[in-house]
Structure formats: structure tokens, C-alpha cells
Amino acid sequence: VEMGYDETNDKLIKATESLEESEKQFKEVEGDVSALTRRIMLMEEEDKKSADNLCSTITKLALTSKSADNVLKAVKIVESTCMNNEVTIEELDKNLRATIKMAVDNEQKLDE
């Protein structure tokens, strides 16, 4: 009977040690899972911040692009006005030369 008791007691001690080792491993794994869960939460927050930042940047880019389009339209209007002014200046210069020539011709006729 005592031998059976000793064997049973040894088995119980081994089973208890095995249980304690399993509980230790479980706690380690549970700690790893908790750490990974926190890491996932932090990464999700970072992802949300990045997505918000991207959205804001895209909005700013669209507004800047629209502003650039308006500037280009204004540049075309100014260029067109300049071309029209150059044509007007050329015509006025041509008229001025013709008027000066007529004045010189008239002076020569008067002198004759």
C-alpha cells in the first residue's frame, strides 16, 4: 500500500509541476497577447492619423490645384490684353509716323 502511495504521490508531484509549468507558459503567452493587442491598437491609431493626414493633404492639394488653375486663367487674360495692347501700339506708332510724314511734307510745301 505504501508503495502505491509513494507512486501516486510522485505522479501527483510531477502533475503539479507540469501544471505549474503550463500555467507559467500560459501567463507568458497571455502577456505576449496583451502586448500584441496594445501594439495593434497603437498601429490602428497611427493608421487613423495617417489616413486623416492623407485626407487633409489631398484636400489641400485639390484647393491648391484649383487656385493654380485660376492663376493660369488670369495669366492668359493678361497675355491676351498685352497682345491687344501691342497691336494698338503698333497701329498708333504707324499712324504717328504717317502724321509726322504728312507734317514734314506740308512744311516742305509751305517752304516752296
Side-chain angles (χ1 to χ4, degrees):
V1 175
E2 206 169 303
M3 218 166 168
Y5 173 78
D6 288 340
E7 285 178 20
T8 305
N9 196 28
D10 286 344
K11 287 180 184 177
L12 177 63
I13 290 171
K14 286 181 183 176
T16 303
E17 289 172 355
S18 177
L19 177 62
E20 288 172 356
E21 183 63 31
S22 295
E23 285 177 347
K24 182 180 172 186
Q25 287 178 349
F26 174 77
K27 286 184 180 182
E28 287 176 9
V29 170
E30 191 175 41
D32 290 345
V33 169
S34 293
L36 289 172
T37 301
R38 283 191 301 275
R39 186 171 177 208
I40 287 171
M41 289 173 63
L42 290 173
M43 292 174 92
E44 286 174 343
E45 285 179 33
E46 192 65 30
D47 178 56
K48 185 180 183 313
K49 288 178 186 176
S50 294
D52 290 345
N53 189 21
L54 177 62
C55 184
S56 174
T57 302
I58 289 172
T59 301
K60 288 177 185 175
L61 177 62
L63 292 173
T64 302
S65 177
K66 185 176 179 181
S67 177
D69 288 344
N70 290 336
V71 168
L72 288 175
K73 287 178 187 175
V75 166
K76 287 182 181 181
I77 290 170
V78 169
E79 286 175 343
S80 176
T81 302
C82 285
M83 286 178 59
N84 290 338
N85 288 345
E86 286 177 14
V87 169
T88 302
I89 289 170
E90 286 176 13
E91 289 173 358
L92 291 173
D93 189 50
K94 184 179 175 183
N95 289 341
L96 178 62
R97 278 187 254 125
T99 303
I100 291 172
K101 186 177 183 321
M102 282 179 16
V104 169
D105 289 346
N106 287 338
E107 271 188 41
Q108 286 177 352
K109 285 184 187 175
L110 282 174
D111 288 343
E112 291 173 5

